[in-house]
Amino acid sequence: MARPGYPTDAIIALTYHCDARCQMCNIWQIKPQEFLTVDDYAKVPSTLKDINISGGEAFMRTDIIDIVKVIHQKTNSPRMVVSTNGFRTKQIIDSMEELRKTIPNIGIGVSIDGIGEVHNRIRGIKDAYDRSLETLRQLNEREFTNVRIAFTALNDNVDEMRKVYDLAESMGFQFTTAVAQNSDIYFSTQANDTVQAGDLADALGYVIRKELLSYHPKRWLRAYFEQGTLVFNQENRRILKCSAGIDFFYLAPEGIVYPCLTIPSQMGDLRGNSFEQVWESEQADTVRREIDGCEKCWMICTARTALKRNMPSALSWIVKEKVRNHLKN
């Protein structure tokens, strides 16, 4: 196959350490832990435009500020979002305040999987909701504008999606959602079940309608992504072809580069190698051939790049659905 260009999107996990014990994720049980230094993160390609800094719990890295800054400098001011469970309020707020001095639009996503005790149960921590909500409140008070509430749908909480969406709206924050996925290399579980189709359709139908009725094109595209979530959950197929290992990669804390979060095929090791050596290697090309046409997941990390390649299809769906929803209202 023809050698691809360099990727534009990435999830970079800083650590597998985590202070949550979530129903849908056992990442905190993964060993080994982080090995990459701040200098190692300067190896990421300058072509990156969208970067999710994640974990585990990313704020458990004491050098997170230095890591985010060096990635930002190397990649020429990309869109960056740090994902967190929101438990460590003071550390999170202090770090974000420091980061926005040099990265004014630094984003943050805080996980909320239900209101009150539902979130506590899903996250496995008795005061999880209060701690996460306090972080959101302080972000609001300090006028951070690039904030999103991230909801992970399970059979146990899918009926909470509307409430969490309304919470995000009431605080002026963005809302993102995904169905819990399985992965040996990231979530460290194969126990997540398909969400009941009718329940998910009801919950996502509400979100899709609200997003389409907004005046923000970014929210219209999120509605299209959620339509893809419905299709994948019901039919186990993607509405757009995956480009993992071409437009996107996942960098694990120990330095291994994977094509995405769910495929355990290693493209190479960043320790002792440049990113170029990894990306252009025969090993990476072999992985690309093996996963071509993969239908293993539907997540925003690989859907976003596929959407960019297929914008006419997305816009056609958006126009049709916006007209239908406006007429219905």
Side-chain angles (χ1 to χ4, degrees):
M1 66 184 294
R3 180 152 288 161
Y6 276 72
T8 58
D9 285 46
I11 289 180
I12 299 175
L14 305 189
T15 181
Y16 288 138
H17 287 293
C18 190
D19 48 0
R21 299 295 181 263
C22 302
Q23 287 186 15
M24 64 290 199
C25 178
N26 294 321
I27 199 170
W28 55 277
Q29 296 179 345
I30 297 178
K31 294 183 181 351
Q33 299 293 338
E34 67 264 12
F35 294 118
L36 295 184
T37 66
V38 173
D39 289 340
D40 286 325
Y41 287 103
K43 296 179 181 180
V44 299
S46 61
T47 52
L48 291 178
K49 302 298 182 186
D50 281 279
I51 303 170
N52 185 346
I53 303 295
S54 187
E57 173 50 46
F59 287 98
M60 292 183 77
R61 280 287 295 246
T62 58
D63 53 359
I64 183 173
I65 293 173
D66 294 331
I67 292 172
V68 172
K69 284 183 176 179
V70 78
I71 292 172
H72 185 263
Q73 291 165 0
K74 174 65 182 293
T75 50
N76 193 27
S77 302
R79 289 177 290 275
M80 298 185 75
V81 175
V82 185
S83 294
T84 177
N85 57 35
F87 293 175
R88 297 167 174 252
T89 300
K90 185 179 187 308
Q91 182 185 355
I92 292 167
I93 298 300
D94 289 348
S95 297
M96 292 298 293
E97 288 281 18
E98 180 62 30
L99 285 169
R100 74 169 168 180
K101 291 177 183 177
T102 53
I103 313 173
N105 199 37
I106 184 73
I108 184 168
V110 179
S111 295
I112 298 286
D113 296 321
I115 303 301
E117 285 303 317
V118 176
H119 182 66
N120 295 344
R121 185 177 73 249
I122 298 296
R123 292 280 154 175
I125 302 294
K126 65 179 182 179
D127 57 350
Y129 183 75
D130 290 340
R131 292 161 70 180
S132 301
L133 191 61
E134 179 59 25
T135 297
L136 287 166
R137 285 174 177 154
Q138 291 201 28
L139 289 166
N140 203 3
E141 289 172 2
R142 292 164 187 256
E143 300 182 345
F144 281 87
T145 56
N146 190 2
V147 181
R148 62 208 63 189
I149 291 178
F151 180 92
T152 302
L154 304 156
N155 282 309
D156 282 354
N157 73 338
V158 65
D159 58 343
E160 294 280 299
M161 187 185 296
R162 292 189 185 207
K163 299 175 187 177
V164 177
Y165 181 91
D166 289 342
L167 172 66
E169 285 237 297
S170 71
M171 301 186 81
F173 295 153
Q174 303 168 59
F175 175 84
T176 63
T177 184
V179 173
Q181 303 285 324
N182 289 307
S183 169
D184 291 329
I185 59 171
Y186 190 68
F187 306 111
S188 189
T189 181
Q190 292 293 330
N192 290 317
D193 296 326
T194 300
V195 178
Q196 290 294 322
D199 294 339
L200 187 64
D202 288 344
L204 277 180
Y206 177 79
V207 173
I208 289 170
R209 287 191 300 274
K210 297 276 281 187
E211 297 291 77
L212 287 171
L213 291 170
S214 76
Y215 295 98
H216 302 285
K218 184 176 182 180
R219 293 175 65 177
W220 306 342
L221 292 170
R222 282 208 177 114
Y224 180 74
F225 168 77
E226 300 307 351
Q227 175 63 20
T229 301
L230 280 175
V231 171
F232 184 82
N233 190 72
Q234 294 171 7
E235 304 175 24
N236 201 32
R237 68 174 179 87
R238 295 173 59 101
I239 60 174
L240 297 174
K241 183 179 178 179
C242 182
S243 58
I246 298 172
D247 295 326
F248 173 85
F249 69 91
Y250 164 57
L251 177 59
E254 68 271 25
I256 304 299
V257 176
Y258 295 94
C260 76
L261 298 177
T262 60
I263 297 174
S265 302
Q266 298 184 12
M267 302 180 77
D269 191 339
L270 207 58
R271 290 174 299 166
N273 297 292
S274 69
F275 188 86
E276 291 75 15
Q277 288 173 316
V278 171
W279 200 249
E280 297 179 11
S281 67
E282 288 299 321
Q283 183 176 339
D285 283 344
T286 298
V287 171
R288 293 186 189 100
R289 287 193 294 270
E290 290 174 348
I291 68 173
D292 186 41
C294 178
E295 298 271 354
K296 194 170 183 179
C297 74
W298 174 258
M299 291 187 283
I300 193 61
C301 50
T302 52
R304 179 172 46 239
T305 52
L307 192 154
K308 291 174 184 176
R309 288 175 175 266
N310 295 272
M311 192 60 72
S313 296
L315 293 178
S316 175
W317 181 89
I318 288 168
V319 170
K320 182 180 71 175
E321 291 301 311
K322 277 185 70 66
V323 169
R324 189 172 69 85
N325 278 278
H326 277 288
L327 289 174
K328 183 182 293 186
N329 275 272

